[in-house]
Each structure stands twice: as structure tokens, then as C-alpha cells.
Amino acid sequence: MEVAEKVVEGKSVADTTFRTIPSFKLLNQDSAVVTEKDFDGTIYVADFFFTSCPTICPVMHRNLLKIYKKYEGNPEVKLASHTIDVKYDTPSRMKAYADKLGVKGTQWEYLWGSRDEIYTLAERNYLAAAQEDKNAPGGFVHGGYLTLVDKEKRIRGVYDGTDDADVKKLLADMDILLGEYKQ
């Protein structure tokens, strides 16, 4: 969320603006094309990870699995995990990863694209850290954050995906957001 100054009736006021997610075209774990339109009518949680991560990704994905299980079958909720290891994490490798977690269908999309596409989405749009670094564990620097996006593709919150209390807050905020759409 950003704060912008606006002039309203001759007075300067602070106005809250939400960062929005732009158009994209990536491949999922089934090698099917996925665009932002596949998330129309849903709220979703996005993250940036890699399947061979030796540090935070396994914890993040255990927590995302809790979200997946809570909302499984709910057409208003999706998850979007973007790989930052585009050389190793091919769609078929991410399919095997999803199968290992017990994830079925496309409610949880594992997304693959070019290095530039993924890193630009991460850094410019989701405000997430994602970069190659041969000195980092697994060869990549990335944050363990889960980003909540509303039905208008606006970022509504960012949560530490490795912290149980923060993940509980994310789940509560998802319920609140879904409730807002029912009114």
C-alpha cells in the first residue's frame, strides 16, 4: 500500500493506493498457459520459491498447504507459487513437487516463466526479493513472504510465510476479505 498526496477541494490530503498486479503469461505445472485472467474472481496468495530450496521454502510451503487445505475446492481462492529457479524448476519438476505435497488441479498454480519475467514480477510488482546468488544457500536470495491479492489484483497484505502467527493472521485476513465480497 502506498500513500499519495492529492488535492481535494483545495486541500492536500493523503490517499491510500494499492499496488496492483499487471498482466502476465506463464506456464503452470501442467505446462498450460496461465495469465492474470485465470485469477479473475478470486483472492489469491502468491509466493516466490524454488523446489530445491534448502532453507525457508519447505516451511513456507507447509504453511501454504494449510491454506490450500482450508480453502480446497473454494472457487474464490487460489495460490500462485512462482519459481525463481527457472533453469531447474521446469513445469514437469513442479508437477512432481505438487504431487508430493498432495496438490491436485489448478487451485494452487506453480508458475514458470523466463528469468526476466519472474524476477520483474517479484521485484517490481509483488515487492519480493528474488535473485541468483551463488553464495546463498541453494544459489538464490529470496524472502519468505506470502502476498495476499484481492479480486481487483491489488496487494492487500504481506505475511512472513515462515512464522505461524503471521500465517494465522493471513488466514484470518483471507476470511475477512472473502466476507467483504459477500456484502
Side-chain angles (χ1 to χ4, degrees):
M1 186 166 51
E2 297 174 357
V3 177
E5 290 292 321
K6 286 173 63 173
V7 176
V8 178
E9 296 179 8
K11 295 180 183 172
S12 182
V13 295
D15 187 22
T16 303
T17 58
F18 291 95
R19 182 168 291 278
T20 57
I21 305 306
S23 299
F24 60 85
K25 185 177 178 181
L26 303 168
L27 292 179
N28 73 1
Q29 66 271 22
D30 298 317
S31 296
V33 172
V34 173
T35 72
E36 75 287 347
K37 290 182 180 17
D38 291 289
F39 293 86
D40 286 355
T42 71
I43 66 169
Y44 69 96
V45 177
D47 76 307
F48 292 84
F49 84 112
F50 59 110
T51 62
S52 61
C53 177
T55 57
I56 60 176
C57 296
V59 176
M60 287 170 39
H61 280 216
R62 273 194 302 276
N63 284 325
L64 279 170
L65 197 55
K66 293 175 192 171
I67 295 166
Y68 171 77
K69 287 181 177 175
K70 177 177 178 178
Y71 296 104
E72 191 171 4
N74 183 334
E76 291 184 274
V77 178
K78 288 190 83 162
L79 293 98
S81 291
H82 306 73
T83 182
I84 60 172
D85 187 352
V86 299
K87 289 179 190 154
Y88 181 79
D89 285 343
T90 59
S92 62
R93 193 171 308 272
M94 290 193 298
K95 177 69 172 176
Y97 182 85
D99 288 346
K100 186 176 153 188
L101 288 175
V103 174
K104 306 284 182 231
T106 57
Q107 186 172 2
W108 187 347
E109 302 273 20
Y110 292 85
L111 300 172
W112 177 90
S114 74
R115 180 189 173 283
D116 288 345
E117 287 172 312
I118 296 294
Y119 286 27
T120 297
L121 266 176
E123 294 168 3
R124 287 195 191 146
N125 304 109
Y126 287 100
L127 305 177
Q131 55 188 287
E132 292 179 55
D133 181 346
K134 64 180 185 234
N135 297 318
F140 295 89
V141 171
H142 62 305
Y145 293 101
L146 307 177
T147 304
L148 177 59
V149 180
D150 70 15
K151 291 183 180 184
E152 287 75 40
K153 312 280 191 292
R154 299 175 302 195
I155 293 177
R156 296 294 290 268
V158 179
Y159 309 81
D160 182 343
T162 65
D163 180 86
D164 288 339
D166 235 22
V167 173
K168 283 181 186 167
K169 177 154 180 28
L170 168 57
L171 285 163
D173 288 352
M174 289 174 73
D175 287 339
I176 291 167
L177 189 54
L178 286 168
E180 288 176 7
Y181 286 109
K182 299 225 182 302
Q183 297 175 3

